[in-house]
Amino acid sequence: MHEQPIVESLMSVALEKAAAANASKILGIYLVNGELSGANSENIEFYFDFLSQGTIAEQASIFFIQPPTEVRCRNCSTVFSPVNLNLTCPSCQERKIEIISGRELFVESIEVE
Amino acid sequence: MTVRVLTVRENLLGANDERARMNRELLNRHGILMLNVMASPGAGKTSLILTTIAGLKERARIAVIEGDIASSVDADKASALGVPAIQINTGGGCHLDANMVAKALDHLALDGPLDEIDLLFVENVGNLVCTAEFALGEHRKVVVLSVPEGDDKPYKYPVMFAEADVVVISKCDVLPYFDFDVKSFSEAVCGINPKVRIFPLSCKTGEGMDPWFTWLGEETESRPAEIPAETPR
């Protein structure tokens, strides 16, 4: 459900940028979507297929780029990528962490003609 | 036609964040402290707000914005206590966004001068996931977690607990009947978010309400305008 406003925002960002460059068609959208962004890639595609109809983006593909999820242990400063959101530090077994990356949700670039 | 790649680098929540910043400016101009109250459905957000209105009504002028998928049940309860209450129905949407809150603030201004409000509760839609992602312009994020939900939630919803300024453990009167360990829950929350304030309480028995009231009173009396604007994620 919550991907709809995100895709609306994605559409407006992509269409504005394409219009400013006098492009006639958007071929691809490179979207950086971190594991902790709360936005599901399949749902984004689902809404995009629907919302892009009748626009210059209707044939565009979305290419998802997932940056690594990284957290830093607040106890021993080890940086690690949690598997299945297991936040236990592999070095000291503490579960005191700071999220460094994984919450990203932005359009990196678009491919147009 | 030549194929070109255009660099964009634009955050998809940028428009929402901008609207949230404008809400914050409006609130600051009127000296209103706004709290975004988030939790699962049934955790006790409404009970917490209603009990707080009853307990603090003499010390602070309170208003409420209620977010729900449908119905005005919660806003009606707040209105019955004599405080301005605006209902937002998201029509299926699982979170409030800054634009919805902007419209609710407009409605609130029609009810009476915004300058006559000190403390504004926004009760978000019951959801522990995406409500954390959408800034509303609030000064403080309050996450309510009830005892029956279990003490392992910070590990399942780390983003929500990392974002919180305050975590309220609600329904503490039922602690004897559940395997909820307040100490390990608090350690889990502080592990993700060392600056968080935690208030274990029960709206039913009144236990633990006083420290929460004291904190709210202090926050309301501090000048919201001096609280720094939203830091970008």
Side-chain angles (χ1 to χ4, degrees):
Chain A
M1 197 65 225
H2 119 111
E3 282 77 4
Q4 186 188 331
I6 286 170
V7 174
E8 283 167 355
S9 171
L10 168 78
M11 292 285 305
S12 81
V13 165
L15 292 175
E16 256 173 52
K17 191 76 185 180
N22 290 319
S24 57
K25 200 172 175 185
I26 300 177
L27 304 171
I29 297 172
Y30 291 82
L31 181 67
V32 177
N33 184 20
E35 189 186 8
L36 301 175
S37 76
N40 176 289
S41 297
E42 278 179 30
N43 290 352
I44 289 176
E45 281 185 318
F46 172 81
Y47 282 108
F48 181 77
D49 288 346
F50 176 72
L51 292 168
S52 62
Q53 281 171 26
T55 73
I56 61 164
E58 70 181 345
Q59 279 162 35
S61 307
I62 303 183
F63 300 99
F64 291 95
I65 303 160
Q66 187 172 312
T69 305
E70 284 187 328
V71 301
R72 181 186 291 115
C73 174
R74 290 187 200 272
N75 186 47
C76 71
S77 300
T78 300
V79 173
F80 62 100
S81 294
V83 178
N84 291 330
L85 276 186
N86 178 1
L87 302 178
T88 307
C89 173
S91 300
C92 72
Q93 314 305 318
E94 277 282 358
R95 289 213 275 189
K96 297 178 176 171
I97 57 95
E98 175 191 0
I99 299 169
I100 303 172
S101 70
R103 297 188 62 186
E104 300 82 352
L105 182 60
F106 63 91
V107 180
E108 171 64 35
S109 59
I110 58 173
E111 204 173 70
V112 298
E113 65 173 26
Chain B
M1 287 281 283
T2 339
V3 174
R4 290 172 289 160
V5 174
L6 310 174
T7 304
V8 181
R9 296 240 151 175
E10 203 165 315
N11 191 326
L12 290 190
L13 296 174
N16 184 71
D17 290 347
E18 176 57 20
R19 186 75 242 194
R21 197 188 54 74
M22 289 162 68
N23 288 347
R24 172 77 76 92
E25 277 179 8
L26 177 79
L27 296 162
N28 287 352
R29 275 203 302 282
H30 295 282
I32 302 173
L33 182 85
M34 184 165 99
L35 303 184
N36 179 4
V37 183
M38 296 175 281
S40 316
K45 295 182 292 302
T46 311
S47 296
L48 178 70
I49 292 170
L50 296 177
T51 312
T52 305
I53 292 170
L56 274 187
K57 213 160 57 168
E58 304 307 318
R59 285 167 61 190
R61 297 167 296 179
I62 303 175
V64 180
I65 294 174
E66 290 286 351
D68 273 303
I69 286 177
S71 90
S72 64
V73 176
D74 289 349
D76 294 345
K77 288 179 191 162
S79 287
L81 292 178
V83 302
I86 303 294
Q87 181 76 46
I88 301 176
N89 282 144
T90 61
C94 52
H95 60 268
L96 294 179
D97 64 33
N99 204 35
M100 296 178 198
V101 170
K103 286 185 195 158
L105 288 168
D106 287 345
H107 282 284
L108 203 55
L110 293 176
D111 265 14
L114 291 179
D115 285 338
E116 292 178 6
I117 299 170
D118 304 315
L119 177 59
L120 174 61
F121 286 100
V122 178
E123 180 175 345
N124 218 312
V125 179
N127 180 343
L128 265 187
V129 187
C130 57
T131 48
E133 299 295 333
F134 289 79
L136 306 179
E138 70 273 27
H139 298 91
R140 296 283 184 258
K141 287 179 163 67
V142 178
V143 175
V144 184
L145 192 283
S146 64
V147 167
E149 289 171 76
D151 54 21
D152 56 353
K153 293 299 171 287
Y155 299 118
K156 293 187 176 181
Y157 304 95
V159 172
M160 177 61 82
F161 287 93
E163 285 279 313
D165 296 296
V166 167
V167 171
V168 168
I169 309 173
S170 63
K171 309 187 189 179
C172 281
D173 50 303
V174 299
L175 273 171
Y177 309 101
F178 287 86
D179 296 329
F180 188 102
D181 185 339
V182 174
K183 188 165 170 277
S184 70
F185 173 79
S186 304
E187 280 170 6
V189 175
C190 293
I192 295 166
N193 182 350
K195 285 180 293 188
V196 73
R197 299 281 302 260
I198 301 176
F199 295 99
L201 52 79
S202 162
C203 295
K204 190 110 183 156
T205 63
E207 182 197 352
M209 294 304 290
D210 282 341
W212 162 248
F213 289 158
T214 304
W215 176 79
L216 270 178
E218 285 166 5
E219 289 292 300
T220 310
E221 279 152 28
S222 76
R223 295 167 57 85
E226 287 171 8
I227 297 173
E230 253 358 78
T231 44
R233 282 190 292 268

